[in-house]
Amino acid sequence: DCLYYAGCIDQVNIPGLFSMEVVVRRVEAIVEAYSNPSRPNWENSKIYSGQGTPEDLVAPQFKTYVTRRNKDELELMNARTRVRELRGSPLVPRGEDAADGAADGALPDGGRGRGRGRGRGRGRQGQADG
């Protein structure tokens, strides 16, 4: 029906339209699949419709680039881990361990820094009431 209406009523140039070729290929694929109505076979439908696999959508050069980039990032991450292990630097303590260290006085000045308060370390004690 689609081809009939396009050619007779709309009077379009069917051979010049790629969309009509897609419609014809789809109709051919359906007719071929239902050549045995009790068991439709869709194996050849990709060939009729001109479709490829989803892998065909991604350019091979881009796949190569992504693979190389992931490999480089993995190597960089491994190198950073090795450097950290060789330096012997412990990881930053998290959670309760970090709070315990400050409370125990393990940090210089008891965990209190110089801060950025007013009065250059005097805090509110050295300010005049105002």
Side-chain angles (χ1 to χ4, degrees), residues 40-54:
N41 183 6
W42 293 96
E43 289 180 8
N44 297 327
S45 64
K46 285 185 179 181
I47 297 170
Y48 276 104
S49 62
Q51 294 177 348
T53 63

Side-chain angles (χ1 to χ4, degrees), residues 93-104:
R94 293 184 180 175
E96 297 175 5
D97 296 338
D100 291 343
D104 294 342

Side-chain angles (χ1 to χ4, degrees), residues 54-68:
E55 296 161 349
D56 295 340
L57 296 174
V58 181
Q61 297 87 357
F62 186 66
K63 284 183 184 179
T64 305
Y65 168 76
V66 169
T67 304
R68 185 177 59 237

Side-chain angles (χ1 to χ4, degrees), residues 33-123:
Y34 283 98
S35 61
N36 182 1
S38 63
R39 293 185 61 174
N41 183 6
W42 293 96
E43 289 180 8
N44 297 327
S45 64
K46 285 185 179 181
I47 297 170
Y48 276 104
S49 62
Q51 294 177 348
T53 63
E55 296 161 349
D56 295 340
L57 296 174
V58 181
Q61 297 87 357
F62 186 66
K63 284 183 184 179
T64 305
Y65 168 76
V66 169
T67 304
R68 185 177 59 237
R69 182 75 177 195
N70 281 334
K71 181 181 175 186
D72 292 346
E73 287 184 14
L74 181 63
E75 289 176 1
L76 182 62
M77 186 177 67
N78 288 337
R80 286 180 180 166
T81 303
R82 278 184 275 161
V83 166
R84 194 176 298 129
E85 290 172 356
L86 291 175
R87 285 185 182 168
S89 62
L91 297 175
V92 177
R94 293 184 180 175
E96 297 175 5
D97 296 338
D100 291 343
D104 294 342
L107 298 175
D109 295 333
R112 295 182 343 231
R114 292 181 57 170
R116 295 182 59 191
R118 290 189 243 172
R120 297 188 182 160
R122 294 185 304 235

